[in-house]
């Protein structure tokens, strides 16, 4: 909780106690009401309201008018009101503590970090994800890069794409994150130089800035990272001009039920396969079982195919964009290009590495390798991150690799740990969505290993891969194309 949120909670609890048990002490009640109102005012001015505190505001709003009553209610009603108020205040405390105003750790690189957004349109493709015929595929890019801030530069707010533009259900619950400042400055001038390019793909129904700490980390070490929003399969995309794209399941309860049923149906075959895999140790047999499930997952395979086309268009657009020296594209080294993603985005990275020779290496962060090229060979250096949830599910990628391949397992993690959600919303741990390893520890491991991988394959630096003993939690298995390359 923020300072004045904590003080306001204490003030409301004190006022509640006085009203219930010491109602005849008018002077004491008066000072208590005035103190609570003063703290509330300071909270609004210095910190600003947020919905997590609503059930503290409500008792205050009810208690203050009671001060003007001369009579005191029956003890039964006072006790009932006291207990009910304690309950709802406790709920507010829970949400305020488990969804805090966090302070993000600064990136470790020598460069300051800039961030900007750009909406682009692929005129060669119609939008397949809605029913309005003729619409072209529009994408949102969020770009992190080495930059040159000025004294007037302002840091970007965390996950701003979730609450920018018009108000909706998503923006209501996330708008309080305006108070959380990142370590990247909005729309600053790019730093002079040429930097490798990394394309990033979010998870299904996630968003471009879901791994803000990783993006800032890479940019601070001299990379340009372009995160691609995939409309209708991202939780919220602000394309500008009051155009907000939400997935259908957010728009109505009926669509929500349909979406949840679709997820259950799509997940059922793989969940069944996971139970069978528990009894199989042979990689080849495991691979065959998983590939059989993936080949029949038409919906998810179709999404990966669409996302792969998005990535190819983005790279085409970047390479064709006019380069005048002042824009960020002018500072991209197009001879060094990587692709990465988390979950469905990781599957997209794997797909791209099999079909587009312009990329030099790829990373999949805990994504099951859906797509249309499951049986094709993998010829690029590749890094596969696993949580406990997905461990071993991409054996086919390992077996088909003809280049350097890394499997990195972080025991004590779950799928969601490979995003910033655990840092920003510790509440997810209450619902079993986070592993036992602290989120900040997972972030440091992922950031270090990812940077080492890109430094090796996009900058030609020595191959460290986090194997210097810094992270005893990390388990790495390697398969190298050449015995001359030391792990």
């Amino acid at each position: 909780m923020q300072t004045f949120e904590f003080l306001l909670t204490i003030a409301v609890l004190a006022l509640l106690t006085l009203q219930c048990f010491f109602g005849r002490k008018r002077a004491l009640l008066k000072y208590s009401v005035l103190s609570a109102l003063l703290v509330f005012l300071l909270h609004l001015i210095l910190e600003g309201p947020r919905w997590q505190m609503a059930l503290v505001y409500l008792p205050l709003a009810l208690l203050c008018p009671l001060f003007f009553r001369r009579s005191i209610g029956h003890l039964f009603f006072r006790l009932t009101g006291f207990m009910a108020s304690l309950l709802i205040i406790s709920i507010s405390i829970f949400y305020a503590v488990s969804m805090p105003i966090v302070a993000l750790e600064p990136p470790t690189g020598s460069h300051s970090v800039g961030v900007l957004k750009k909406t682009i349109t692929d005129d060669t493709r119609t939008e397949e994800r809605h029913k309005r015929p003729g619409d072209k595929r529009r994408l949102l890019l969020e770009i992190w890069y080495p930059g040159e801030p000025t004294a007037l530069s302002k840091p970007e707010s965390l996950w701003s794409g979730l609450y920018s533009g018009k108000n909706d259900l998503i923006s209501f619950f996330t708008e309080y994150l305006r108070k959380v400042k990142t370590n990247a400055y909005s729309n600053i001038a790019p730093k002079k130089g040429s930097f490798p390019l990394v394309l990033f793909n979010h998870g299904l129904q996630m968003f471009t800035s879901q791994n803000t700490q990783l993006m800032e980390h890479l940019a601070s070490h001299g990379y340009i990272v372009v995160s691609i929003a995939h409309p209708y399969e991202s939780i919220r995309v602000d394309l500008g001009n009051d155009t907000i794209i939400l997935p259908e399941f957010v728009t109505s309860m009926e669509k929500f039920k349909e979406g949840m049923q679709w997820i259950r149906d799509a997940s059922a075959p793989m969940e069944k396969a996971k139970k069978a895999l528990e009894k199989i140790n042979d990689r080849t047999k495991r691979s065959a079982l998983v590939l059989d499930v993936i080949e029949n997952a038409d919906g998810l395979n179709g999404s990966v195919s669409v996302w792969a086309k998005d990535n190819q268009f983005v790279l085409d657009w970047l390479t064709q964009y006019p380069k005048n020296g002042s824009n960020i594209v002018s500072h991209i080294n197009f001879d060094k290009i990587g692709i990465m993603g988390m979950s469905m985005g990781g599957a997209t990275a794997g797909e791209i590495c099999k079909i587009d020779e312009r990329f030099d290496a790829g990373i999949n962060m805990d994504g099951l390798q859906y797509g249309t090229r499951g049986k094709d060979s993998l010829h690029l250096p590749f890094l596969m991150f696993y949580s406990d949830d997905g461990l071993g599910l991409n054996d086919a990628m390992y077996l088909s690799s003809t280049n350097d391949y890394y499997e990195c397992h972080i025991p004590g993690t779950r799928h969601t740990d490979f995003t910033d959600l655990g840092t920003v919303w510790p509440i997810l741990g209450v619902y079993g969505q986070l592993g036992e390893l602290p989120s900040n520890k997972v972030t440091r491991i992922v950031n270090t290993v990812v940077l080492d991988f890109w430094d090796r394959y996009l900058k030609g630096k020595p191959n460290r891969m986090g194997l210097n003993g810094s992270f005893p939690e990390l388990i790495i298995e390697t398969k190298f194309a050449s015995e001359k390359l030391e792990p």
Side-chain angles (χ1 to χ4, degrees), residues 104-341:
L104 300 179
E105 293 185 8
T108 60
S110 60
H111 300 293
S112 295
V113 179
V115 61
L116 59 84
K117 296 176 184 178
K118 179 72 175 179
T119 299
I120 62 177
T121 303
D122 185 352
D123 292 322
T124 66
R125 287 193 295 157
T126 57
E127 178 56 68
E128 302 176 24
R129 292 307 193 237
H130 65 66
K131 298 179 180 178
R132 294 196 299 270
D135 280 5
K136 300 302 181 181
R137 180 70 165 169
R138 300 181 69 192
L139 303 173
L140 173 71
L141 310 181
E142 189 161 6
I143 305 172
W144 288 262
Y145 55 94
E148 299 281 6
T150 67
L152 299 177
S153 298
K154 296 182 179 180
E156 177 80 353
S157 295
L158 182 66
W159 300 351
S160 59
L162 296 183
Y163 47 82
S164 59
K166 295 189 299 185
N167 294 328
D168 50 53
L169 184 64
I170 303 300
S171 66
F172 172 80
F173 284 106
T174 59
E175 198 272 340
Y176 79 95
L177 292 173
R178 290 183 190 275
K179 302 179 180 66
V180 179
K181 300 303 179 183
T182 69
N183 296 288
Y185 298 94
S186 302
N187 296 298
I188 61 175
K191 195 164 189 176
K192 293 181 179 179
S194 180
F195 306 100
L197 171 67
V198 176
L199 301 188
F200 180 83
N201 295 267
H202 57 71
L204 184 63
Q205 304 306 347
M206 292 291 286
F207 49 98
T208 54
S209 54
Q210 65 171 57
N211 288 82
T212 291
Q213 295 177 99
L214 175 57
M215 308 307 171
E216 293 178 349
H217 183 68
L218 292 175
S220 76
H221 285 272
Y223 289 88
I224 295 174
V225 185
V226 178
S227 183
I228 306 169
H230 304 282
Y232 301 96
E233 292 174 308
S234 174
I235 193 63
R236 190 179 192 270
V237 181
D238 181 1
L239 295 174
N241 298 320
D242 288 334
T243 303
I244 306 294
I245 306 297
L246 301 175
E248 281 193 331
F249 74 83
V250 177
T251 60
S252 71
M253 183 55 67
E254 180 181 354
K255 293 295 184 181
F256 176 78
K257 292 179 180 178
E258 291 178 1
M260 293 301 101
Q261 186 59 49
W262 183 87
I263 291 174
R264 286 191 289 270
D265 292 343
S267 303
M270 187 53 66
E271 292 303 317
K272 183 178 179 180
K274 284 182 180 180
K275 294 181 180 179
L277 291 173
E278 294 175 359
K279 303 176 182 179
I280 303 174
N281 293 321
D282 182 81
R283 277 186 182 266
T284 302
K285 293 180 180 180
R286 292 171 61 90
S287 170
L289 178 59
V290 174
L291 281 176
D292 184 62
V293 174
I294 289 175
E295 286 180 351
N296 294 292
D298 295 336
L300 295 171
N301 291 338
S303 292
V304 170
S305 181
V306 171
W307 290 20
K309 292 176 183 176
D310 289 344
N311 280 264
Q312 291 178 303
F313 168 69
V314 168
L315 185 53
D316 290 340
W317 182 86
L318 289 169
T319 55
Q320 296 166 12
Y321 194 83
K323 300 166 182 62
N324 57 20
S326 62
N327 60 46
I328 186 61
V329 180
S330 302
H331 299 275
I332 294 176
N333 179 1
F334 285 103
D335 293 326
K336 298 296 180 180
I337 305 173
I339 185 168
M340 66 183 300

